[in-house]
Amino acid sequence: MQSRKQRVRGFFFAIGIFILIIIYWLASFYGTSWLYSCLNKRPSEVVVQLINSVCGMFLWGLTMAIMGRFIQSQQMIFFQKMIAAIRSMSRGDFNVSVENNPHNGPFVELVDSINTMAVELGQVEKMRQEFISNVSHEIQSPLTSISGFSRALQNEQLSPAERKHYLEIIETESTRLSKLSDNLLKLTSLESQHHPFEPTSYRLDKQIRNLILACEPQWVDKDIEMDIELEAVTISADEDLLSQVWTNLIHNAVKFTPVGGTIGVHVTSSGESAIIRISNNGACISEEDLPHIFERFYKSDKSRNRTSGGNGLGLSIVKKIIEMHEGSIAVESEPEKNTTFIVRFSLPK
């Protein structure tokens, strides 16, 4: 589309030049004729045509020089704006935009690229600042608790029960910090594209069954009913990485399922893909929170900072691992219904 517009502009530009040449030649012809009549003397036709041609070329050259000076001035302003925008981005200011118009010719795409780059870098910078803020917040909370209860332990009048209680809190917060550090390192490793990725062919249903049995103490303790349907499915994937996915999703289901509730784990295949559904009948996720639950540090339940020990990184890790396997994950949650995480993988042909 852009090349067609350029061809149309080039066509009209050529017509304009042709018309200018005719106008200059006519101006030279009538101008010299008037001069000859004033002088009452006219040279030979060869000299007349030569003078007309020289005058026409002179007028053409003068016009081109003036236009060239104007275009050069406009181009310098245009390039200075681009250079200023690039320098601003190099200093970390991404709130810049270079005005674009069709007269920029071959630089239209360059300007669009600079503007797009500024927007994307601005989004990355915003994410970086949010990430730092979230990490600082997640670290500050347990550190404050550890510091406060450490000072409290210096009171020699504490009873053994109080001292034991304070030490348990310090241990819990230390474990929370350690988990946060592990998850940050894991997520960074996964996003670096250098994390070991060793796909093998194995039975997905057997892997999920073993992980459900490994979590048995947790769901038995809450008297949770397990609705399990595992179709025999063989996939090609990194077994260790996917083990983290199922462990995280099952633990989340147990965590947010009420006592006496139900968790469903279903594995089916549709010929070309494997479909894994992990659901629970706990509190639903609001429609406002659904688009954000896979974002780092996002917590739909703002009250679970301390009570559940979560740090908002688990689902981000899950999504990254699934994307590494070229799969997809979605979530469905409605009031009075189950919250279901749906994972899909392509099956080997």
Side-chain angles (χ1 to χ4, degrees):
M1 187 67 181
Q2 186 65 33
S3 60
R4 182 179 178 183
K5 289 182 179 180
Q6 290 177 350
R7 287 197 297 269
V8 171
R9 288 199 299 269
F11 174 74
F12 284 109
F13 182 74
I15 291 178
I17 292 177
F18 180 73
I19 292 175
L20 275 178
I21 292 175
I22 293 177
I23 290 174
Y24 289 149
W25 188 86
L26 290 174
S28 299
F29 176 80
Y30 287 110
T32 54
S33 296
W34 174 80
L35 181 61
Y36 299 149
S37 62
C38 290
L39 297 176
N40 292 323
K41 187 176 181 181
R42 183 181 179 88
S44 64
E45 286 302 317
V46 174
V47 176
V48 168
Q49 294 299 328
L50 181 60
I51 293 174
N52 289 343
S53 299
V54 170
C55 290
M57 291 299 295
F58 173 77
L59 292 175
W60 169 255
L62 182 63
T63 302
M64 290 297 101
I66 295 173
M67 289 181 61
R69 181 65 64 88
F70 175 76
I71 293 174
Q72 184 180 18
S73 175
Q74 294 299 311
Q75 285 182 339
M76 286 301 298
I77 295 174
F78 169 69
F79 285 127
Q80 287 173 356
K81 289 181 178 179
M82 284 203 300
I83 292 171
I86 293 172
R87 285 177 175 171
S88 295
M89 287 189 286
S90 69
R91 292 191 297 267
D93 178 14
F94 305 111
N95 189 26
V96 297
S97 178
V98 181
E99 184 180 356
N100 205 354
N101 59 71
H103 300 293
N104 292 334
F107 300 104
V108 169
E109 293 184 5
L110 176 61
V111 174
D112 287 339
S113 298
I114 291 176
N115 291 335
T116 301
M117 181 172 63
V119 172
E120 292 179 352
L121 288 175
Q123 292 174 347
V124 170
E125 176 64 17
K126 182 180 178 181
M127 290 174 59
R128 186 185 70 85
Q129 292 177 355
E130 290 178 352
F131 178 77
I132 293 173
S133 176
N134 288 327
V135 171
S136 300
H137 178 267
E138 290 293 333
I139 291 177
Q140 187 62 37
S141 179
L143 283 179
T144 300
S145 296
I146 292 172
S147 175
F149 287 108
S150 296
R151 288 194 301 270
L153 286 172
Q154 297 175 15
N155 184 355
E156 297 179 356
Q157 298 179 355
L158 287 176
S159 66
E162 289 177 321
R163 190 176 299 275
K164 182 176 182 297
H165 176 63
Y166 291 167
L167 287 172
E168 287 175 350
I169 293 176
I170 291 175
E171 182 181 8
T172 299
E173 296 296 342
S174 299
T175 302
R176 182 179 166 195
L177 272 177
S178 177
K179 185 178 179 181
L180 172 62
S181 175
D182 289 343
N183 283 339
L184 283 172
L185 290 174
K186 187 179 298 179
L187 189 58
T188 302
S189 177
L190 291 171
E191 292 182 340
S192 69
Q193 299 182 352
H194 297 296
H195 190 86
F197 184 71
E198 301 174 354
T200 58
S201 181
Y202 71 94
R203 283 279 295 275
L204 176 63
D205 56 301
K206 289 185 177 180
Q207 180 191 36
I208 294 179
R209 187 184 303 275
N210 291 335
L211 291 172
I212 292 174
L213 293 174
C215 297
E216 184 175 3
Q218 285 79 23
W219 51 266
V220 168
D221 185 57
K222 296 181 70 173
D223 194 25
I224 293 174
E225 179 184 351
M226 300 297 292
D227 176 18
I228 302 173
E229 294 182 11
L230 305 178
E231 180 181 332
V233 176
T234 300
I235 66 171
S236 178
D238 189 308
E239 190 169 357
D240 290 338
L241 287 178
L242 283 192
S243 176
Q244 299 177 41
V245 170
W246 313 132
T247 299
N248 187 290
L249 292 178
I250 293 171
H251 280 176
N252 278 355
V254 173
K255 182 190 302 181
F256 296 108
T257 300
V259 175
T262 302
I263 292 177
V265 182
H266 298 171
V267 176
T268 59
S269 63
S270 62
E272 296 183 353
S273 60
I275 305 171
I276 303 91
R277 291 181 171 87
I278 300 177
S279 61
N280 71 85
N281 63 346
C284 72
I285 303 173
S286 69
E287 186 176 349
E288 178 184 354
D289 291 324
L290 278 176
H292 305 287
I293 61 172
F294 296 107
E295 296 176 4
R296 290 178 293 186
F297 295 107
Y298 191 84
K299 300 175 184 179
S300 58
D301 182 3
K302 304 300 186 295
S303 65
R304 66 184 177 95
N305 287 347
R306 184 181 299 277
T307 57
S308 67
N311 51 46
L313 291 176
L315 289 179
S316 298
I317 293 174
V318 164
K319 189 172 188 293
K320 185 60 183 179
I321 292 175
I322 292 173
E323 288 177 344
M324 289 174 64
H325 288 82
E326 298 182 353
S328 65
I329 182 170
V331 60
E332 298 176 353
S333 185
E334 299 180 21
E336 308 301 329
K337 293 185 179 180
N338 291 347
T339 295
T340 305
F341 285 86
I342 305 169
V343 181
R344 298 176 185 270
F345 294 112
S346 298
L347 291 174
K349 298 180 180 179

